Amino acid sequence: MDPGHLALRRVERHQRLVERLHAARGRRVEIAELARELGVSTRTAARDVERLRLSGVPIETRQGRHGGVSLRAAGSVTVTLDFPEVAALLASLATLGPTVSDSAAAAMRTLAEAIQDLSGDR
């Protein structure tokens, strides 16, 4: 399989994983459950969680009985980006596919509206 295609699938899976943890509202979700929902092995799900955690996503993991994975953040985030940063994110979302997940579609709309507001085109 094409490495680029695999990377896109991983990004899609990471988005679904974060959305799933967010929906759990701080409750821990077992890695095995995440793996089943994502259609991957438990090892792949654990690697995905670790990649996201290392990239700065506030994920907490707990081993053992009553263990699992949870997302520490649950609210909205306010970020200030300049035009090239917004354009870079829009380009990334366009490459991935803005409708790959509800979060991606919402982010695409929000970023596009921000650029429209900046340029005065409405």
Side-chain angles (χ1 to χ4, degrees):
M1 191 175 281
D2 172 31
H5 180 72
L6 289 175
L8 284 177
R9 287 184 57 199
R10 183 182 315 128
V11 170
E12 291 172 8
R13 200 171 58 242
H14 287 181
Q15 284 185 353
R16 289 192 353 243
L17 196 155
V18 169
E19 287 177 348
R20 172 62 175 90
L21 292 177
H22 183 263
R25 304 207 187 297
R27 291 185 313 275
R28 282 188 291 280
V29 180
E30 292 181 8
I31 289 285
E33 182 179 344
L34 288 172
R36 274 191 308 279
E37 291 176 12
L38 297 170
V40 296
S41 69
T42 55
R43 185 173 175 176
T44 295
R47 275 196 308 261
D48 286 348
V49 165
E50 186 63 8
R51 278 189 186 109
L52 287 166
R53 195 184 66 71
L54 291 174
S55 72
V57 177
I59 292 177
E60 181 178 283
T61 59
R62 183 173 292 173
Q63 301 292 322
R65 188 171 181 208
H66 305 295
V69 182
S70 62
L71 191 60
R72 291 190 309 255
S76 295
V77 177
T78 301
V79 178
T80 302
L81 302 170
D82 64 18
F83 187 88
E85 292 167 332
V86 171
L89 290 173
L90 280 169
S92 297
L93 282 169
T95 299
L96 175 62
T99 59
V100 72
S101 69
D102 291 342
S103 296
M108 189 76 156
R109 281 191 306 276
T110 301
L111 292 169
E113 288 171 10
I115 284 184
Q116 293 299 320
D117 289 345
L118 186 61
S119 68
D121 293 345
R122 274 238 156 186

